């Protein structure tokens, strides 16, 4: 079955760190551009980060310098290392496949998401 | 970077056609053909319904169509059905080599 499964979401204190994972199955993965997109409670979608098959990475200005995206093609897994977490990072984090092959935002496959809550 | 501008809500009756708007700038919607649209039902992941302004992925009803003019893009849903009630988001590639979403439009089928 073609799917993405996120994990790693948790309750973390402001200033803390967390690593999210996204396990892919049913498709090649190593030739695909992958993204992280988040959705704060009751709010809209927000681009977080992307990584192309070449390893090139892209970040939203709101997370640049705090978050790092990476991938392990041998494990078909996408990662998001999150640091210096803030209240406003609280959201459901989705991983998504970009079918454009670049970073044009044609998200044809989504995971179910994992909830990150930043709070004392 | 601010989100693309979408109306917060629209409504229509079954069978009607409605059009959702998405307004950006010359640095995103106006500069590229890389505009996509997503449908999201409550508690679910988004679903791609339009890519590259007007293309439909396999399996998406031809009741959904997209277009673009200058800095604005539009999604038209014809023959409105109860199952179309959902949140809709536009998305565009930007000159910053990122993508940007709209704030979303809640569609209510009366």
């Amino acid at each position: 079955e073609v799917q993405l499964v996120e994990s790693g979401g948790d309750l973390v204190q402001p200033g803390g760190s967390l690593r999210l994972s996204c396990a892919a199955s049913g498709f090649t993965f190593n030739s695909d551009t992958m993204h992280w997109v988040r959705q704060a409670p009751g709010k809209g979608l927000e681009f977080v980060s992307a990584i192309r098959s070449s390893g090139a990475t892209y970040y939203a200005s709101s997370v640049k310098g705090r978050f790092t995206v990476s991938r392990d093609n041998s494990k078909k897994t996408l990662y998001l290392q999150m640091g210096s977490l803030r209240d406003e990072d609280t959201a459901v984090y989705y991983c998504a496949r970009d079918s454009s092959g670049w970073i044009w935002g044609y998200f044809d496959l989504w995971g179910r998401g994992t909830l990150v809550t930043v709070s004392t | 970077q601010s989100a693309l501008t979408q109306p917060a809500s629209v409504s229509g009756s079954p069978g009607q056609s409605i059009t959702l708007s998405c307004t950006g700038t010359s640095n995103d919607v106006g500069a590229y053909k890389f505009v996509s649209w997503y449908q999201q039902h409550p508690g679910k992941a988004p679903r791609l319904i339009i890519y590259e302004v007007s293309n439909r992925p396999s399996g998406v009803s031809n009741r959904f169509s997209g277009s673009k003019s200058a800095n604005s893009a539009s999604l038209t849903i014809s023959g409105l059905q109860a199952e179309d009630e959902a949140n809709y988001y536009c998305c565009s590639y930007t000159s910053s080599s990122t993508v940007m979403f709209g704030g979303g439009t809640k569609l209510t089928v009366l």
Side-chain angles (χ1 to χ4, degrees), chain B residues 70-92:
Chain B
N71 293 342
S72 292
S74 297
L75 173 71
T76 298
I77 309 174
S78 59
L80 208 56
Q81 300 179 1
E83 67 210 46
D84 299 331
E85 185 163 296
N87 292 305
Y88 291 84
Y89 296 91
C90 61
C91 177
S92 175

Side-chain angles (χ1 to χ4, degrees), chain A residues 71-85:
Chain A
R71 64 193 299 162
D72 185 334
N73 290 333
S74 67
K75 294 182 178 179
K76 288 189 154 184
T77 301
L78 175 72
Y79 301 101
L80 185 68
Q81 180 67 47
M82 311 166 67
S84 302
L85 283 163

Side-chain angles (χ1 to χ4, degrees), chain A residues 39 47 58 103 105-107 110, chain B residues 34 36 38 40 52 93 97:
Chain A
Q39 187 168 36
F47 165 78
Y58 307 83
I103 51 168
Y106 301 163
F107 305 121
W110 295 72
Chain B
F34 310 128
S36 52
Y38 299 86
Q40 186 181 35
E52 204 164 286
Y93 179 70
S97 297

Side-chain angles (χ1 to χ4, degrees), chain B residues 39-51:
Chain B
Q39 177 192 62
Q40 186 181 35
H41 289 105
K44 301 292 187 181
R47 173 196 176 206
L48 177 67
I49 55 174
I50 293 287
Y51 68 96

Side-chain angles (χ1 to χ4, degrees), chain B residues 50 59 63 96:
Chain B
I50 293 287
R63 298 186 299 107
S96 301

